[in-house]
Amino acid sequence: MKRLLQFGLAIIFAAMLFAPSQVSAYSYGDANTEEVAETFKLVETALNGPAPDWNAAEEAYKVRKSEIKSHFGDAVASILDHNFQAKDVNLTLSNFKAVLVLNLDRRFNYALADLNDYAQAKLLLAKAKSTYATLQPHMELDAGEIDKAFEDALTALGNPGLFGVGKKEPDPEAFKSNVSFIQNKISLLFPLQGAEGEEASPSLPVDEPVQHAPLERTQKTNVGVTIVVIAAMAAIGGFIIWWMRRKK
Amino acid sequence: MQRIPAQIATWFAAIVALIGIGYFSLYYASPFARSWDEVDFALALDRFDLLAMQPHFPGYPYFIIGGTLVHHWIADPVKALATFNAAMALSSAVPIYLLARRHVNQRASLLIAALVLTTPYLWLMTARPMSECAGIALLWWFLWSVRQAMEYPRSKAWHALTLVFFGLLMGTRLSFFPFGTALLLLWAYKYKSNAGTRGRKVRLLLSVISACLIQLVWVAGLALSEGTLSGFVKLSMAFVKGHFTEWGGGVVSISMPFGRRAVQLFGNNLLGDVLLSRSIVIGILLALLLVLVWMRHRLISETSADEPEHLNRLFRIGIIICLSVYAAWALLGQNIEKPRHIAPIAGPMLFLVYLSAIRTAVFGLSRIIPMILSLILVAQFVQGAMLLKRQAEQIPAVYQLHDYLSHLDAPFVVYTWEETRVFQYLKATYEHRDIVTYDYFKAVARASSGQRVLLTDKVLRGFELQDSKARDHVVQLSEFKSDSLFDPVYGRIILYEWSENL
């Protein structure tokens, strides 16, 4: 009896130790966030107001620069570089918006190529949606129409269902038509402008480096996590056995 | 002469109460998806999609499956989930009765089941589309199976049943994991009572492995809802990564000192909201009961120490340990603003209180204690039914806000915190967005010129933490209220209009 009580107290103590140390509620991240779009928000925030903070804006841009370069080409990156150097708020923001449009196309294109991989296509579509949501406050368009197209595109991806319940077959044609509807609505709104103000090929070739995966594969970390979990479970099991023996 | 009618009356009252719980739960099933979480669950019935947060991580697959089955007959997803909850809650009368039956007679056991299930706050949860209610019902089944496995420490079947119920519990409400303590205690007990037999270590190890394998069932179900295992891993990684790169995160997290947190959790949330549902009458009756029990508690422990009583005592201590572990988890790891997080400990707590009360009644209190218990039953039933009706009829503040905004003409955009999820569920046609960071808000508000910019009090409070002058830029437009027992966080919403030049 007494032992059982002690055991209980030991467990409570252990639970206190393993409980999250910071006294605040846990939360899960939003898998839908798109980093290029988040960077744009930071830049936009820094450049807002009568005294734009160019240092903060450039810091944020630098972090994302290599990505922008590899996804959208040197030309795009150097235009942005130029805008930042010239400290031209309007041009910087409007060209960054053009980059977001390029990003939207990039996510859509990979989703179209990956239609058979449900999880991948869905994640890419979510990133596209997140990119669009960042642009949305700057557009004078019927948001409802585009939101619906995103929703229909998601439905068109099908659904494996939960334990097979609610299973839906994908409809690639519907996906394609909804995606091109969105692209047609947005693509010409934010043209990329060269340093001198002339339009620099609005339909910039989006031939992306083939070796560049659309999303970083995280297989490596996954193996690591698995090993750690197995090791931890083995350690806990070993501890229980040892503890039981000692009690004898 | 007098005893027989009293007995029949107790039977009658308890059965009427149980039927009433079922009837009122269905009749007054809440038609509203009043919060972010409720919307998540409701949307999941039409399309299960973790990435779209329908439902939010970690998925609650068994709850959604149950709701989906009911959804075949009931078109409204919110009502479908509430109906599933009601069925689960009613089913839990069985384990509560069987557990009580080990300590007291049939009549008293039925009374205890009715008393626990009429606890108004728990009853309110029955009529809402949240997984807590189904989780609490499964918790009862799990505790009952643990008690059965204690009775037959060598039986593999009872032990397997325990593991199955724990799997169902975790797949319904993962945040109830501290109740796994009961499983650990059971293993310790089995190990001890198998002393001297060969292979008890192997058996213990097998138990642990089987427990993990049974959890894999729902994890695998979740994983396959993303098509493939690698897809699920990708998604989980994106969630974890999102957790660290979340933009603007942590800007407005308000930390509360530990002492105040504890008072809020145990004083306001547990005692005021969950146990008493803000009813003074129930409070007085329960206090009276506790005083009587406390006066006589020595007498109980001095009597019988035979074998079944020994197991019963172990079980009661085990429950207290589990409740403590869960309370510690709720205190440290759960959102303090939502009383429902502490609700799972209320049922077992009250169960123990009622049990000791009935056992105390033998010692010269055989009239007063049954009388108080009956009064509690009546008071709880009246309060519960009243609250249930109000929960179903009172328009939640966030719905009122939606109604107000739907009738507002001029082009406008409204910035919110979690309200935006309910607007989305209601298919709002106006522009609405959630926002956290003040500087970014200012940039976007400037960009959308020509539109009125509205924001809610939660947003404004967040802004004030970032810039104390934020309030100077707003004018109050309107205020919306609903009962904070139903809407602990969004029971009062104030709508402001923003103007940069104020």
Side-chain angles (χ1 to χ4, degrees), chain B residues 3 6-7 10 107-108 111 115 289 292 354 357-362 364-378:
Chain B
R3 288 193 70 86
Q7 278 178 14
T10 318
R107 188 162 51 96
L111 183 64
L115 279 167
L289 193 70
L292 289 175
Y354 296 141
I358 287 173
R359 281 149 45 89
T360 313
V362 187
L365 297 170
S366 58
R367 269 160 197 273
I368 178 106
I369 284 200
M371 206 173 86
I372 296 177
L373 288 177
S374 316
L375 284 175
I376 292 180
L377 186 64
V378 172

mmCIF file of all heavy atoms in Angstrom, chain B residues 3 6-7 10 107-108 111 115 289 292 354 357-362 364-378:
data_model
loop_
_atom_site.group_PDB
_atom_site.id
_atom_site.type_symbol
_atom_site.label_atom_id
_atom_site.label_comp_id
_atom_site.label_asym_id
_atom_site.label_seq_id
_atom_site.Cartn_x
_atom_site.Cartn_y
_atom_site.Cartn_z
ATOM 1 N N ARG B 3 -39.422 3.113 4.379
ATOM 2 C CA ARG B 3 -38.215 2.858 3.598
ATOM 3 C C ARG B 3 -38.515 2.440 2.161
ATOM 4 O O ARG B 3 -37.808 2.822 1.242
ATOM 5 C CB ARG B 3 -37.348 1.802 4.276
ATOM 6 C CG ARG B 3 -36.671 2.313 5.533
ATOM 7 C CD ARG B 3 -35.603 1.352 5.973
ATOM 8 N NE ARG B 3 -34.460 1.343 5.050
ATOM 9 C CZ ARG B 3 -33.449 2.198 5.142
ATOM 10 N NH1 ARG B 3 -33.434 3.091 6.103
ATOM 11 N NH2 ARG B 3 -32.451 2.145 4.308
ATOM 12 N N ALA B 6 -39.226 5.247 -0.261
ATOM 13 C CA ALA B 6 -38.008 6.036 -0.460
ATOM 14 C C ALA B 6 -37.081 5.339 -1.440
ATOM 15 O O ALA B 6 -36.492 5.973 -2.327
ATOM 16 C CB ALA B 6 -37.300 6.243 0.883
ATOM 17 N N GLN B 7 -37.001 4.003 -1.284
ATOM 18 C CA GLN B 7 -36.143 3.255 -2.211
ATOM 19 C C GLN B 7 -36.645 3.381 -3.640
ATOM 20 O O GLN B 7 -35.880 3.654 -4.565
ATOM 21 C CB GLN B 7 -36.136 1.782 -1.816
ATOM 22 C CG GLN B 7 -35.159 1.484 -0.702
ATOM 23 C CD GLN B 7 -35.215 0.024 -0.314
ATOM 24 O OE1 GLN B 7 -35.776 -0.784 -1.033
ATOM 25 N NE2 GLN B 7 -34.649 -0.295 0.821
ATOM 26 N N THR B 10 -35.909 6.707 -5.151
ATOM 27 C CA THR B 10 -34.531 6.894 -5.604
ATOM 28 C C THR B 10 -34.320 6.262 -6.978
ATOM 29 O O THR B 10 -33.738 6.866 -7.880
ATOM 30 C CB THR B 10 -33.548 6.262 -4.605
ATOM 31 O OG1 THR B 10 -33.975 6.573 -3.291
ATOM 32 C CG2 THR B 10 -32.150 6.760 -4.841
ATOM 33 N N ARG B 107 -29.085 0.465 -5.798
ATOM 34 C CA ARG B 107 -29.822 1.716 -5.788
ATOM 35 C C ARG B 107 -28.856 2.902 -5.691
ATOM 36 O O ARG B 107 -28.922 3.851 -6.475
ATOM 37 C CB ARG B 107 -30.769 1.709 -4.592
ATOM 38 C CG ARG B 107 -31.732 2.830 -4.515
ATOM 39 C CD ARG B 107 -32.840 2.434 -3.552
ATOM 40 N NE ARG B 107 -32.276 1.945 -2.285
ATOM 41 C CZ ARG B 107 -32.116 2.710 -1.201
ATOM 42 N NH1 ARG B 107 -32.469 3.958 -1.228
ATOM 43 N NH2 ARG B 107 -31.627 2.201 -0.096
ATOM 44 N N ALA B 108 -27.921 2.783 -4.752
ATOM 45 C CA ALA B 108 -26.957 3.869 -4.557
ATOM 46 C C ALA B 108 -26.070 4.024 -5.790
ATOM 47 O O ALA B 108 -25.706 5.146 -6.163
ATOM 48 C CB ALA B 108 -26.113 3.595 -3.327
ATOM 49 N N LEU B 111 -27.863 5.913 -8.357
ATOM 50 C CA LEU B 111 -27.933 7.318 -7.946
ATOM 51 C C LEU B 111 -26.617 8.024 -8.254
ATOM 52 O O LEU B 111 -26.605 9.163 -8.749
ATOM 53 C CB LEU B 111 -28.256 7.392 -6.450
ATOM 54 C CG LEU B 111 -28.426 8.796 -5.885
ATOM 55 C CD1 LEU B 111 -29.623 9.486 -6.523
ATOM 56 C CD2 LEU B 111 -28.592 8.753 -4.370
ATOM 57 N N LEU B 115 -26.007 11.211 -10.546
ATOM 58 C CA LEU B 115 -25.416 12.425 -9.977
ATOM 59 C C LEU B 115 -24.228 12.894 -10.799
ATOM 60 O O LEU B 115 -24.090 14.083 -11.101
ATOM 61 C CB LEU B 115 -24.967 12.159 -8.533
ATOM 62 C CG LEU B 115 -26.064 12.228 -7.470
ATOM 63 C CD1 LEU B 115 -25.569 11.632 -6.158
ATOM 64 C CD2 LEU B 115 -26.498 13.674 -7.264
ATOM 65 N N LEU B 289 -22.499 18.416 2.261
ATOM 66 C CA LEU B 289 -22.177 17.004 2.111
ATOM 67 C C LEU B 289 -20.742 16.733 2.559
ATOM 68 O O LEU B 289 -20.456 15.794 3.309
ATOM 69 C CB LEU B 289 -22.361 16.600 0.639
ATOM 70 C CG LEU B 289 -22.357 15.113 0.349
ATOM 71 C CD1 LEU B 289 -23.617 14.482 0.903
ATOM 72 C CD2 LEU B 289 -22.276 14.865 -1.153
ATOM 73 N N LEU B 292 -20.316 16.827 6.340
ATOM 74 C CA LEU B 292 -20.818 15.603 6.975
ATOM 75 C C LEU B 292 -19.851 14.434 6.778
ATOM 76 O O LEU B 292 -19.553 13.678 7.703
ATOM 77 C CB LEU B 292 -22.196 15.242 6.415
ATOM 78 C CG LEU B 292 -23.336 16.164 6.840
ATOM 79 C CD1 LEU B 292 -24.611 15.789 6.128
ATOM 80 C CD2 LEU B 292 -23.533 16.092 8.360
ATOM 81 N N TYR B 354 -19.287 11.294 -3.653
ATOM 82 C CA TYR B 354 -20.599 10.675 -3.464
ATOM 83 C C TYR B 354 -20.462 9.301 -2.828
ATOM 84 O O TYR B 354 -21.267 8.904 -1.981
ATOM 85 C CB TYR B 354 -21.339 10.557 -4.800
ATOM 86 C CG TYR B 354 -21.659 11.900 -5.434
ATOM 87 C CD1 TYR B 354 -21.557 12.085 -6.794
ATOM 88 C CD2 TYR B 354 -22.074 12.975 -4.651
ATOM 89 C CE1 TYR B 354 -21.848 13.317 -7.372
ATOM 90 C CE2 TYR B 354 -22.366 14.195 -5.216
ATOM 91 C CZ TYR B 354 -22.245 14.361 -6.579
ATOM 92 O OH TYR B 354 -22.531 15.582 -7.143
ATOM 93 N N ALA B 357 -19.852 9.645 0.747
ATOM 94 C CA ALA B 357 -21.067 10.125 1.399
ATOM 95 C C ALA B 357 -22.006 8.956 1.678
ATOM 96 O O ALA B 357 -22.541 8.824 2.791
ATOM 97 C CB ALA B 357 -21.759 11.152 0.506
ATOM 98 N N ILE B 358 -22.200 8.097 0.681
ATOM 99 C CA ILE B 358 -23.134 6.987 0.873
ATOM 100 C C ILE B 358 -22.596 5.996 1.894
ATOM 101 O O ILE B 358 -23.340 5.442 2.699
ATOM 102 C CB ILE B 358 -23.417 6.320 -0.488
ATOM 103 C CG1 ILE B 358 -24.307 7.254 -1.306
ATOM 104 C CG2 ILE B 358 -24.096 4.976 -0.311
ATOM 105 C CD1 ILE B 358 -24.534 6.834 -2.701
ATOM 106 N N ARG B 359 -21.282 5.801 1.884
ATOM 107 C CA ARG B 359 -20.705 4.897 2.886
ATOM 108 C C ARG B 359 -20.785 5.502 4.284
ATOM 109 O O ARG B 359 -20.867 4.786 5.281
ATOM 110 C CB ARG B 359 -19.261 4.559 2.514
ATOM 111 C CG ARG B 359 -19.180 3.492 1.406
ATOM 112 C CD ARG B 359 -17.973 3.667 0.527
ATOM 113 N NE ARG B 359 -16.783 3.929 1.289
ATOM 114 C CZ ARG B 359 -15.971 2.970 1.757
ATOM 115 N NH1 ARG B 359 -16.236 1.703 1.521
ATOM 116 N NH2 ARG B 359 -14.904 3.278 2.449
ATOM 117 N N THR B 360 -20.741 6.828 4.349
ATOM 118 C CA THR B 360 -20.848 7.492 5.646
ATOM 119 C C THR B 360 -22.268 7.389 6.210
ATOM 120 O O THR B 360 -22.464 7.375 7.424
ATOM 121 C CB THR B 360 -20.501 8.995 5.504
ATOM 122 O OG1 THR B 360 -19.310 9.097 4.753
ATOM 123 C CG2 THR B 360 -20.302 9.647 6.847
ATOM 124 N N ALA B 361 -23.240 7.306 5.293
ATOM 125 C CA ALA B 361 -24.641 7.342 5.709
ATOM 126 C C ALA B 361 -24.975 6.248 6.717
ATOM 127 O O ALA B 361 -25.920 6.389 7.503
ATOM 128 C CB ALA B 361 -25.534 7.213 4.479
ATOM 129 N N VAL B 362 -24.194 5.147 6.695
ATOM 130 C CA VAL B 362 -24.442 4.051 7.623
ATOM 131 C C VAL B 362 -24.301 4.522 9.074
ATOM 132 O O VAL B 362 -24.963 4.018 9.970
ATOM 133 C CB VAL B 362 -23.443 2.903 7.365
ATOM 134 C CG1 VAL B 362 -23.773 1.688 8.202
ATOM 135 C CG2 VAL B 362 -23.445 2.562 5.882
ATOM 136 N N GLY B 364 -25.260 6.645 11.331
ATOM 137 C CA GLY B 364 -26.202 7.559 11.965
ATOM 138 C C GLY B 364 -26.619 8.738 11.119
ATOM 139 O O GLY B 364 -27.189 9.699 11.621
ATOM 140 N N LEU B 365 -26.333 8.684 9.805
ATOM 141 C CA LEU B 365 -26.736 9.798 8.950
ATOM 142 C C LEU B 365 -27.645 9.285 7.835
ATOM 143 O O LEU B 365 -27.718 9.863 6.764
ATOM 144 C CB LEU B 365 -25.503 10.461 8.324
ATOM 145 C CG LEU B 365 -24.509 11.103 9.294
ATOM 146 C CD1 LEU B 365 -23.244 11.488 8.552
ATOM 147 C CD2 LEU B 365 -25.115 12.316 9.956
ATOM 148 N N SER B 366 -28.336 8.190 8.110
ATOM 149 C CA SER B 366 -29.035 7.497 7.025
ATOM 150 C C SER B 366 -30.204 8.304 6.476
ATOM 151 O O SER B 366 -30.770 7.949 5.467
ATOM 152 C CB SER B 366 -29.529 6.138 7.499
ATOM 153 O OG SER B 366 -30.374 6.321 8.608
ATOM 154 N N ARG B 367 -30.610 9.364 7.149
ATOM 155 C CA ARG B 367 -31.681 10.177 6.590
ATOM 156 C C ARG B 367 -31.132 11.404 5.873
ATOM 157 O O ARG B 367 -31.507 11.708 4.749
ATOM 158 C CB ARG B 367 -32.622 10.642 7.706
ATOM 159 C CG ARG B 367 -33.745 9.692 7.936
ATOM 160 C CD ARG B 367 -34.331 9.923 9.309
ATOM 161 N NE ARG B 367 -35.135 8.787 9.698
ATOM 162 C CZ ARG B 367 -36.419 8.661 9.375
ATOM 163 N NH1 ARG B 367 -37.011 9.586 8.679
ATOM 164 N NH2 ARG B 367 -37.102 7.609 9.761
ATOM 165 N N ILE B 368 -30.210 12.065 6.578
ATOM 166 C CA ILE B 368 -29.780 13.364 6.045
ATOM 167 C C ILE B 368 -28.982 13.218 4.747
ATOM 168 O O ILE B 368 -29.185 13.979 3.792
ATOM 169 C CB ILE B 368 -28.994 14.164 7.116
ATOM 170 C CG1 ILE B 368 -28.499 15.488 6.558
ATOM 171 C CG2 ILE B 368 -27.813 13.416 7.640
ATOM 172 C CD1 ILE B 368 -29.281 16.618 7.077
ATOM 173 N N ILE B 369 -28.103 12.223 4.666
ATOM 174 C CA ILE B 369 -27.258 12.132 3.465
ATOM 175 C C ILE B 369 -28.059 11.783 2.215
ATOM 176 O O ILE B 369 -27.918 12.478 1.189
ATOM 177 C CB ILE B 369 -26.064 11.179 3.704
ATOM 178 C CG1 ILE B 369 -25.080 11.948 4.572
ATOM 179 C CG2 ILE B 369 -25.434 10.725 2.387
ATOM 180 C CD1 ILE B 369 -23.689 11.480 4.571
ATOM 181 N N PRO B 370 -28.925 10.779 2.247
ATOM 182 C CA PRO B 370 -29.746 10.550 1.051
ATOM 183 C C PRO B 370 -30.560 11.776 0.665
ATOM 184 O O PRO B 370 -30.752 12.063 -0.525
ATOM 185 C CB PRO B 370 -30.664 9.398 1.469
ATOM 186 C CG PRO B 370 -29.926 8.694 2.528
ATOM 187 C CD PRO B 370 -29.143 9.738 3.255
ATOM 188 N N MET B 371 -30.992 12.526 1.695
ATOM 189 C CA MET B 371 -31.780 13.711 1.387
ATOM 190 C C MET B 371 -30.935 14.743 0.637
ATOM 191 O O MET B 371 -31.366 15.304 -0.378
ATOM 192 C CB MET B 371 -32.312 14.306 2.681
ATOM 193 C CG MET B 371 -33.577 15.100 2.493
ATOM 194 S SD MET B 371 -34.228 15.582 4.088
ATOM 195 C CE MET B 371 -33.333 17.072 4.390
ATOM 196 N N ILE B 372 -29.715 14.967 1.145
ATOM 197 C CA ILE B 372 -28.851 15.946 0.464
ATOM 198 C C ILE B 372 -28.531 15.487 -0.952
ATOM 199 O O ILE B 372 -28.575 16.273 -1.908
ATOM 200 C CB ILE B 372 -27.550 16.163 1.261
ATOM 201 C CG1 ILE B 372 -27.878 16.777 2.620
ATOM 202 C CG2 ILE B 372 -26.599 17.068 0.500
ATOM 203 C CD1 ILE B 372 -26.676 16.970 3.492
ATOM 204 N N LEU B 373 -28.241 14.181 -1.087
ATOM 205 C CA LEU B 373 -27.915 13.685 -2.428
ATOM 206 C C LEU B 373 -29.087 13.890 -3.388
ATOM 207 O O LEU B 373 -28.893 14.282 -4.544
ATOM 208 C CB LEU B 373 -27.537 12.204 -2.365
ATOM 209 C CG LEU B 373 -26.167 11.904 -1.731
ATOM 210 C CD1 LEU B 373 -25.927 10.404 -1.642
ATOM 211 C CD2 LEU B 373 -25.042 12.563 -2.514
ATOM 212 N N SER B 374 -30.309 13.629 -2.882
ATOM 213 C CA SER B 374 -31.479 13.833 -3.761
ATOM 214 C C SER B 374 -31.611 15.298 -4.133
ATOM 215 O O SER B 374 -31.907 15.641 -5.289
ATOM 216 C CB SER B 374 -32.759 13.384 -3.069
ATOM 217 O OG SER B 374 -32.551 12.163 -2.425
ATOM 218 N N LEU B 375 -31.366 16.170 -3.140
ATOM 219 C CA LEU B 375 -31.461 17.603 -3.431
ATOM 220 C C LEU B 375 -30.423 18.012 -4.472
ATOM 221 O O LEU B 375 -30.707 18.814 -5.376
ATOM 222 C CB LEU B 375 -31.274 18.416 -2.147
ATOM 223 C CG LEU B 375 -32.480 18.431 -1.208
ATOM 224 C CD1 LEU B 375 -32.136 19.166 0.083
ATOM 225 C CD2 LEU B 375 -33.681 19.088 -1.886
ATOM 226 N N ILE B 376 -29.217 17.452 -4.331
ATOM 227 C CA ILE B 376 -28.178 17.781 -5.319
ATOM 228 C C ILE B 376 -28.635 17.343 -6.706
ATOM 229 O O ILE B 376 -28.493 18.071 -7.688
ATOM 230 C CB ILE B 376 -26.838 17.109 -4.955
ATOM 231 C CG1 ILE B 376 -26.259 17.737 -3.688
ATOM 232 C CG2 ILE B 376 -25.828 17.252 -6.098
ATOM 233 C CD1 ILE B 376 -24.946 17.153 -3.249
ATOM 234 N N LEU B 377 -29.211 16.131 -6.768
ATOM 235 C CA LEU B 377 -29.673 15.629 -8.063
ATOM 236 C C LEU B 377 -30.692 16.583 -8.680
ATOM 237 O O LEU B 377 -30.591 16.952 -9.851
ATOM 238 C CB LEU B 377 -30.273 14.226 -7.903
ATOM 239 C CG LEU B 377 -30.671 13.532 -9.200
ATOM 240 C CD1 LEU B 377 -29.464 13.281 -10.072
ATOM 241 C CD2 LEU B 377 -31.385 12.218 -8.920
ATOM 242 N N VAL B 378 -31.643 17.001 -7.851
ATOM 243 C CA VAL B 378 -32.683 17.897 -8.361
ATOM 244 C C VAL B 378 -32.064 19.236 -8.782
ATOM 245 O O VAL B 378 -32.318 19.742 -9.884
ATOM 246 C CB VAL B 378 -33.778 18.121 -7.297
ATOM 247 C CG1 VAL B 378 -34.742 19.207 -7.751
ATOM 248 C CG2 VAL B 378 -34.515 16.823 -7.021
#
